[in-house]
Amino acid sequence: MSKDNNPNKNPELLQDADRRKFLNTAALAGLAGAGLSVGLAGCKKPEEAVAVKAADAHIEPGQLDPYYGIWSGGHSGEVRILGIPSGRQIKKLGVFVPDAMSGWGITNESKKIMGTKPDGSLLYTTGDSHHVHGSYANGTYDGKYAWVNDKIHSRVARIRLDVMECDKITHVPNVQGIHGIFPDKRDPVDPNLNRTTRVFVGMEFHTPLPNDGRDLDDPSKYGCLFSCIDAETMEMRWQCRVDGNMDLTATSFDGKLAACNQYNTENGAHLEDMMSLEHDACVFFHVERIERAVKEGRFTTIGDSKVPVVDGRKEANKDPRAALTCYVPVPKNPHGVNASPDGKYFICSGKLSPTATVIDLALVLKWYNGDLKEPRETVVAEPELGLGPLHTAFDGRGNAFTTLFLDSQVVKWDVEAAIKAFKGDKAAKVVVDRLDVHYQPGHINASMSETMEADGKWLCVGCKFSKDRFLPVGPLHPENEQIIDITGEKMKLVHEAPVHPEPHDFIIMTRDKIKTRQIYDLDEFPNAVKEDRVERKGNKVTVYMTSQAPNFGLREFKIKRGDEVTLVVTNLDKVEDLTHGIAIPKHDINFIVNPQETKSVTFKADKPGVYWIYCSHFCHALHLEMRSRMIVER
Ligand code: K7E
Ligand code: CUA
Ligand code: CA
């Protein structure tokens, strides 16, 4: 590629249709450093952008949004609950990181879920939440759970949607950088299990296996594992070793297949090595066969881990009729794999190729039957969409919506037309509409898009850069979640909202899917306080204290310097939203107790003096007066 053709220097080239294939050439290696940000130069000024008609998404004061949005928080480690289409943030959950407002990571109960070091402190105080997906029954959300992955520490968290709190976190062994996650939608064998029973996660970063100091500088010996977790117990079921890495994950509606797109089939350790091939892959997993292999003992284990590991590498899976995995070639460094709501296709975006690859799931099963020669024969369309395609959503009427990171656009395209065009039909009209978004979109999702009930109403686009869209707040800008009306032929941008960096992914479900609880049940907590009191065993002191607005059950209590104190608090209030906070100065304790809930903390009383335990959550006209005295004797 000559200098002038470098779109980094010459951004208008991005509009030139003949050059759109440029990312598909080996010359890309030369662009490596700056290439992926070229699109920034092509951003339009807001006044040139498609007209914004705010009324369409406006929710009147006092009105409820018709949809819940469940948003990941990226390196904030959180999950957020939004109302859609207003884009209003309703709740934030710490999940992988401490959050004083909710007491997440500060109470004994939350620490037990998050994991601790031998000294009782949190194992990790950072997280990187990427992908959120809900549990299924009968092909749609059942509103029971959502799962989210932590890329940095390879954890999978489950969120109970009735209380919108995390209730379990699984530390996936043997892996680094788990990225794609998806629950299955039904059991592959048992027709009675038409609901989620497993959660799959793909490993993005290949490492030595086990990663214990062996094979340090020999990437050819590194490996990646696809992991399966039991959705109910959250225990590991099995892992499957693959060639190459794994990025995003998708599952089929019949429960038979799971898949991950792969951008580094080269097994490269450096960026330019990861881009050397024109095709990477989408690797499919035959769930039933893998579980049969585990049952029959055809597995190994890695290091100290007892989790069965089956071999899904190409060499061991040459016979399609016995294969556990199928590698479908996809151009080039693809990103994103999404299941169409009709259950027929998985779509991988090309990222460095301007295409999306449509893979027919019935043909993948045919390949596993030995009825196809090559895995590539499962590809039924590969339309050219624009530069930097990443993620795809659906409207349930046969259209797909793909983000174009470099073009700063969403492209709406007709999947069946793309299939016709692939077969040679020159009249097929594949691209239906294009819309500029602001700017550089990553994830995209539509209302109910990941279910068979995709309703084609709202499309949300997670724009990675907001640039000039909001009041400037210093070098770091918020991200921009844009909301698009997709009920018509043309997309209509109707709303945008700044969000704290950086959500990666989100799902949008009708609000009737989720039934939330108003208050907890006292009996759910075995340690619920029935009577206010202080119990001492040696230097271990347990303080049992109730709260009922505007009083704590103990006006004061005395302990001795050096005591190990466990404070157990039960909130006896029975009114929803009547939450109390427990804050203890100089002891780094600050958490809330919801109505009829019990929480506890354990700490060392090492500073003699008087400490006012005060209510930190506004609860009552006498909220400021709601205090208890902790007296630490010397
Ligand atoms: Cu889902 Cu951001 Cu982890 Cu794509 S990734 S953009
Ligand atoms: Cu109790 Cu404020
Ligand atoms: Ca590659």
Side-chain angles (χ1 to χ4, degrees), residues 5-39:
N5 278 359
N6 183 339
N8 205 22
K9 301 233 165 72
N10 213 350
E12 59 274 21
L13 284 176
L14 291 174
Q15 310 306 322
D16 182 346
D18 324 321
R19 310 238 188 234
R20 301 185 78 82
K21 276 191 175 139
F22 82 99
L23 283 168
N24 206 12
T25 69
L28 189 76
L31 280 175
L36 292 180
S37 59
V38 294

Short mmCIF file of all heavy atoms in Angstrom, two decimals, residues 5-39:
data_model
loop_
_atom_site.label_atom_id
_atom_site.label_comp_id
_atom_site.label_asym_id
_atom_site.label_seq_id
_atom_site.Cartn_x
_atom_site.Cartn_y
_atom_site.Cartn_z
N ASN A 5 -2.32 5.95 -0.12
CA ASN A 5 -3.47 5.08 0.12
C ASN A 5 -3.71 4.81 1.59
O ASN A 5 -4.66 4.15 1.95
CB ASN A 5 -3.27 3.75 -0.59
CG ASN A 5 -3.64 3.87 -2.04
OD1 ASN A 5 -4.04 4.93 -2.48
ND2 ASN A 5 -3.50 2.79 -2.77
N ASN A 6 -2.79 5.30 2.40
CA ASN A 6 -2.95 5.06 3.84
C ASN A 6 -4.09 5.93 4.38
O ASN A 6 -4.00 7.14 4.41
CB ASN A 6 -1.63 5.43 4.54
CG ASN A 6 -1.69 5.14 6.02
OD1 ASN A 6 -2.78 5.05 6.59
ND2 ASN A 6 -0.54 5.00 6.63
N PRO A 7 -5.19 5.31 4.74
CA PRO A 7 -6.37 6.08 5.16
C PRO A 7 -6.11 6.87 6.44
O PRO A 7 -6.85 7.79 6.76
CB PRO A 7 -7.44 5.01 5.39
CG PRO A 7 -6.73 3.73 5.51
CD PRO A 7 -5.40 3.87 4.86
N ASN A 8 -5.07 6.51 7.13
CA ASN A 8 -4.72 7.26 8.32
C ASN A 8 -4.32 8.69 7.95
O ASN A 8 -4.55 9.64 8.67
CB ASN A 8 -3.57 6.55 9.03
CG ASN A 8 -3.56 6.88 10.51
OD1 ASN A 8 -4.57 7.27 11.06
ND2 ASN A 8 -2.41 6.72 11.12
N LYS A 9 -3.68 8.82 6.76
CA LYS A 9 -3.25 10.12 6.30
C LYS A 9 -4.30 10.77 5.43
O LYS A 9 -4.31 11.95 5.20
CB LYS A 9 -1.96 9.95 5.46
CG LYS A 9 -0.84 9.29 6.24
CD LYS A 9 0.41 10.14 6.17
CE LYS A 9 1.44 9.72 7.20
NZ LYS A 9 2.07 8.46 6.86
N ASN A 10 -5.17 9.95 4.89
CA ASN A 10 -6.07 10.39 3.85
C ASN A 10 -7.48 9.85 4.13
O ASN A 10 -7.96 8.96 3.44
CB ASN A 10 -5.53 9.82 2.52
CG ASN A 10 -5.81 10.77 1.38
OD1 ASN A 10 -6.55 11.75 1.54
ND2 ASN A 10 -5.25 10.47 0.22
N PRO A 11 -8.12 10.38 5.16
CA PRO A 11 -9.34 9.74 5.66
C PRO A 11 -10.47 9.66 4.65
O PRO A 11 -11.29 8.76 4.71
CB PRO A 11 -9.76 10.61 6.86
CG PRO A 11 -8.87 11.79 6.86
CD PRO A 11 -7.74 11.55 5.95
N GLU A 12 -10.50 10.59 3.66
CA GLU A 12 -11.62 10.53 2.72
C GLU A 12 -11.62 9.24 1.90
O GLU A 12 -12.61 8.86 1.31
CB GLU A 12 -11.66 11.77 1.80
CG GLU A 12 -10.43 12.01 0.96
CD GLU A 12 -9.35 12.80 1.71
OE1 GLU A 12 -9.36 12.84 2.97
OE2 GLU A 12 -8.49 13.37 1.05
N LEU A 13 -10.45 8.58 1.90
CA LEU A 13 -10.38 7.30 1.20
C LEU A 13 -11.37 6.30 1.77
O LEU A 13 -11.80 5.38 1.11
CB LEU A 13 -8.97 6.72 1.29
CG LEU A 13 -7.94 7.37 0.38
CD1 LEU A 13 -6.58 6.75 0.65
CD2 LEU A 13 -8.32 7.21 -1.07
N LEU A 14 -11.72 6.50 3.04
CA LEU A 14 -12.64 5.56 3.66
C LEU A 14 -13.98 5.56 2.96
O LEU A 14 -14.73 4.61 3.04
CB LEU A 14 -12.84 5.93 5.14
CG LEU A 14 -11.62 5.71 6.02
CD1 LEU A 14 -11.88 6.25 7.40
CD2 LEU A 14 -11.30 4.23 6.09
N GLN A 15 -14.31 6.66 2.29
CA GLN A 15 -15.60 6.73 1.61
C GLN A 15 -15.54 6.10 0.22
O GLN A 15 -16.54 5.93 -0.43
CB GLN A 15 -16.04 8.21 1.47
CG GLN A 15 -15.97 9.01 2.75
CD GLN A 15 -16.74 8.35 3.90
OE1 GLN A 15 -17.80 7.78 3.69
NE2 GLN A 15 -16.19 8.42 5.11
N ASP A 16 -14.36 5.78 -0.21
CA ASP A 16 -14.18 5.29 -1.57
C ASP A 16 -14.45 3.79 -1.62
O ASP A 16 -13.71 2.98 -1.10
CB ASP A 16 -12.73 5.60 -1.98
CG ASP A 16 -12.45 5.18 -3.41
OD1 ASP A 16 -13.25 4.41 -3.99
OD2 ASP A 16 -11.42 5.60 -3.93
N ALA A 17 -15.53 3.47 -2.32
CA ALA A 17 -16.00 2.08 -2.31
C ALA A 17 -14.95 1.10 -2.81
O ALA A 17 -14.83 0.00 -2.29
CB ALA A 17 -17.27 1.97 -3.14
N ASP A 18 -14.16 1.49 -3.83
CA ASP A 18 -13.18 0.53 -4.36
C ASP A 18 -12.09 0.21 -3.35
O ASP A 18 -11.40 -0.78 -3.48
CB ASP A 18 -12.45 1.06 -5.60
CG ASP A 18 -13.33 1.88 -6.47
OD1 ASP A 18 -14.50 1.48 -6.61
OD2 ASP A 18 -12.85 2.90 -6.98
N ARG A 19 -11.92 1.11 -2.41
CA ARG A 19 -10.81 0.89 -1.49
C ARG A 19 -11.26 0.18 -0.21
O ARG A 19 -10.48 -0.04 0.68
CB ARG A 19 -10.21 2.24 -1.07
CG ARG A 19 -9.89 3.11 -2.25
CD ARG A 19 -8.43 3.47 -2.26
NE ARG A 19 -8.17 4.45 -3.28
CZ ARG A 19 -7.25 4.27 -4.22
NH1 ARG A 19 -6.54 3.18 -4.24
NH2 ARG A 19 -7.06 5.19 -5.12
N ARG A 20 -12.53 -0.12 -0.16
CA ARG A 20 -13.06 -0.62 1.09
C ARG A 20 -12.46 -1.96 1.48
O ARG A 20 -12.56 -2.38 2.61
CB ARG A 20 -14.58 -0.72 1.02
CG ARG A 20 -15.20 0.62 0.73
CD ARG A 20 -16.68 0.56 0.78
NE ARG A 20 -17.16 0.56 2.15
CZ ARG A 20 -17.31 1.66 2.86
NH1 ARG A 20 -17.00 2.83 2.37
NH2 ARG A 20 -17.74 1.60 4.08
N LYS A 21 -11.85 -2.60 0.49
CA LYS A 21 -11.28 -3.90 0.81
C LYS A 21 -9.90 -3.78 1.44
O LYS A 21 -9.29 -4.77 1.77
CB LYS A 21 -11.18 -4.74 -0.46
CG LYS A 21 -12.49 -5.45 -0.77
CD LYS A 21 -12.27 -6.47 -1.85
CE LYS A 21 -13.54 -7.26 -2.07
NZ LYS A 21 -13.79 -7.50 -3.49
N PHE A 22 -9.44 -2.53 1.62
CA PHE A 22 -8.02 -2.37 1.96
C PHE A 22 -7.62 -3.11 3.22
O PHE A 22 -6.54 -3.61 3.35
CB PHE A 22 -7.63 -0.89 2.08
CG PHE A 22 -7.96 -0.27 3.39
CD1 PHE A 22 -6.98 -0.13 4.37
CD2 PHE A 22 -9.25 0.16 3.68
CE1 PHE A 22 -7.28 0.44 5.59
CE2 PHE A 22 -9.54 0.72 4.89
CZ PHE A 22 -8.57 0.87 5.85
N LEU A 23 -8.57 -3.23 4.14
CA LEU A 23 -8.20 -3.88 5.40
C LEU A 23 -8.02 -5.37 5.23
O LEU A 23 -7.55 -6.05 6.09
CB LEU A 23 -9.28 -3.60 6.44
CG LEU A 23 -9.22 -2.20 7.03
CD1 LEU A 23 -10.46 -1.90 7.83
CD2 LEU A 23 -7.99 -2.04 7.90
N ASN A 24 -8.45 -5.84 4.06
CA ASN A 24 -8.39 -7.27 3.83
C ASN A 24 -7.06 -7.70 3.23
O ASN A 24 -6.90 -8.82 2.82
CB ASN A 24 -9.53 -7.65 2.89
CG ASN A 24 -9.94 -9.10 3.10
OD1 ASN A 24 -9.53 -9.73 4.07
ND2 ASN A 24 -10.73 -9.62 2.18
N THR A 25 -6.14 -6.79 3.14
CA THR A 25 -4.86 -7.13 2.52
C THR A 25 -3.78 -7.33 3.56
O THR A 25 -3.90 -6.86 4.69
CB THR A 25 -4.39 -6.01 1.58
OG1 THR A 25 -4.04 -4.90 2.40
CG2 THR A 25 -5.46 -5.60 0.61
N ALA A 26 -2.76 -8.02 3.14
CA ALA A 26 -1.67 -8.29 4.06
C ALA A 26 -0.98 -7.00 4.49
O ALA A 26 -0.31 -6.95 5.51
CB ALA A 26 -0.66 -9.23 3.42
N ALA A 27 -1.17 -5.93 3.70
CA ALA A 27 -0.53 -4.65 4.02
C ALA A 27 -0.99 -4.11 5.35
O ALA A 27 -0.40 -3.18 5.90
CB ALA A 27 -0.83 -3.62 2.93
N LEU A 28 -2.06 -4.69 5.87
CA LEU A 28 -2.60 -4.23 7.13
C LEU A 28 -1.55 -4.23 8.23
O LEU A 28 -1.58 -3.39 9.13
CB LEU A 28 -3.76 -5.12 7.55
CG LEU A 28 -4.49 -4.55 8.74
CD1 LEU A 28 -5.35 -3.39 8.30
CD2 LEU A 28 -5.30 -5.61 9.41
N ALA A 29 -0.65 -5.20 8.14
CA ALA A 29 0.37 -5.30 9.17
C ALA A 29 1.07 -3.96 9.35
O ALA A 29 1.40 -3.56 10.45
CB ALA A 29 1.38 -6.38 8.80
N GLY A 30 1.25 -3.22 8.24
CA GLY A 30 1.91 -1.93 8.31
C GLY A 30 1.10 -0.89 9.03
O GLY A 30 1.63 0.09 9.55
N LEU A 31 -0.21 -1.10 9.09
CA LEU A 31 -1.09 -0.14 9.75
C LEU A 31 -1.23 -0.41 11.23
O LEU A 31 -1.87 0.34 11.94
CB LEU A 31 -2.50 -0.24 9.14
CG LEU A 31 -2.76 0.45 7.83
CD1 LEU A 31 -4.17 0.11 7.38
CD2 LEU A 31 -2.60 1.95 7.97
N ALA A 32 -0.63 -1.51 11.62
CA ALA A 32 -0.95 -2.08 12.92
C ALA A 32 -1.12 -1.05 14.02
O ALA A 32 -2.14 -1.04 14.69
CB ALA A 32 0.11 -3.09 13.32
N GLY A 33 -0.14 -0.17 14.20
CA GLY A 33 -0.20 0.75 15.32
C GLY A 33 -1.38 1.70 15.27
O GLY A 33 -2.17 1.76 16.20
N ALA A 34 -1.52 2.40 14.16
CA ALA A 34 -2.51 3.47 14.11
C ALA A 34 -3.77 3.07 13.36
O ALA A 34 -4.79 3.72 13.48
CB ALA A 34 -1.88 4.66 13.40
N GLY A 35 -3.70 1.98 12.63
CA GLY A 35 -4.75 1.64 11.69
C GLY A 35 -6.14 1.58 12.29
O GLY A 35 -7.11 2.03 11.70
N LEU A 36 -6.26 1.05 13.49
CA LEU A 36 -7.58 0.81 14.02
C LEU A 36 -8.25 2.07 14.52
O LEU A 36 -9.41 2.06 14.88
CB LEU A 36 -7.51 -0.24 15.14
CG LEU A 36 -7.15 -1.62 14.60
CD1 LEU A 36 -7.08 -2.63 15.72
CD2 LEU A 36 -8.12 -2.09 13.55
N SER A 37 -7.51 3.18 14.54
CA SER A 37 -8.17 4.40 14.98
C SER A 37 -8.41 5.37 13.83
O SER A 37 -8.83 6.48 14.02
CB SER A 37 -7.36 5.08 16.09
OG SER A 37 -6.08 5.37 15.61
N VAL A 38 -8.17 4.90 12.60
CA VAL A 38 -8.29 5.81 11.46
C VAL A 38 -9.68 6.43 11.35
O VAL A 38 -9.82 7.58 10.96
CB VAL A 38 -7.95 5.14 10.11
CG1 VAL A 38 -6.50 4.77 10.08
CG2 VAL A 38 -8.84 3.94 9.86
N GLY A 39 -10.68 5.67 11.71
CA GLY A 39 -12.04 6.14 11.52
C GLY A 39 -12.34 7.42 12.27
O GLY A 39 -13.22 8.18 11.90
#
